[in-house]
């Protein structure tokens, strides 16, 4: 399992009601660096996982939208239009890190409301740091 698959699975594990948004077949020929997850139904937060594409460097953001209806409309349009419309979301927390192995992440930068005690964190600590409900 590569780092990207591992992180996507960790998101689905920590947020069991989450749903990864999928692009239409029109985007199949393009390499993907950005992944979006609805955390749970009927809420206004979206997780954004960005892979730098070069090394195992990533950014995980929690974005907040004005209301559930706006996020629903944007998520429904994502398959055909791509991610640019998510730019209206406001970051609640942002954590950039390097994947060093399963459950071994090194924090590069963090902005959010949780406190991170160490630069070496687990995947669970990563998810906690960007969780808008904590």
């Amino acid at each position: 399992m590569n780092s990207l698959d591992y992180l996507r699975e960790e998101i689905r594990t920590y947020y069991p009601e989450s749903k990864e948004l999928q692009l239409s077949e029109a985007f199949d020929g393009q390499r993907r660096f950005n992944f979006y997850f609805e955390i749970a139904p009927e809420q206004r937060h979206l997780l954004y996982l960005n892979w730098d594409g070069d090394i195992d460097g990533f950014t995980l953001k929690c974005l907040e939208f004005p209301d559930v209806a706006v996020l629903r409309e944007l998520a429904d349009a994502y398959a055909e239009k791509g991610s640019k419309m998510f730019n209206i979301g406001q970051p609640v927390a942002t954590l950039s890190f390097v994947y060093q192995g399963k459950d071994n992440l090194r924090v590069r930068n963090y902005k959010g409301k949780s406190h991170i005690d160490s630069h070496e964190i687990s995947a669970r600590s990563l998810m906690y740091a960007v969780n808008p409900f904590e």
Side-chain angles (χ1 to χ4, degrees), residues 81-121:
K81 294 184 179 179
S83 62
K84 292 207 185 290
M85 64 224 159
F86 290 136
N87 291 341
I88 69 166
Q90 297 299 308
V92 173
T94 303
L95 198 146
S96 62
F97 60 97
V98 175
Y99 173 87
Q100 300 179 130
K102 185 178 177 186
D103 227 21
N104 184 8
L105 311 172
R106 177 150 186 81
V107 176
R108 288 180 172 167
N109 191 16
Y110 174 66
K111 293 179 184 169
K113 59 186 177 183
S114 298
H115 179 72
I116 296 179
D117 295 327
S118 170
H119 286 288
E120 305 294 326
I121 64 170

Side-chain angles (χ1 to χ4, degrees), residues 44-94:
R44 60 190 185 129
H45 296 93
L46 185 75
L47 287 182
Y48 161 70
L49 177 64
N50 171 265
W51 172 47
D52 66 17
D54 214 5
I55 60 168
D56 282 332
F58 295 89
T59 300
L60 183 63
K61 287 184 183 182
C62 178
L63 301 174
E64 184 173 44
F65 293 83
D67 58 49
V68 174
V70 168
L71 179 55
R72 181 77 267 135
E73 182 180 325
L74 297 174
D76 289 345
Y78 172 73
E80 297 301 323
K81 294 184 179 179
S83 62
K84 292 207 185 290
M85 64 224 159
F86 290 136
N87 291 341
I88 69 166
Q90 297 299 308
V92 173
T94 303

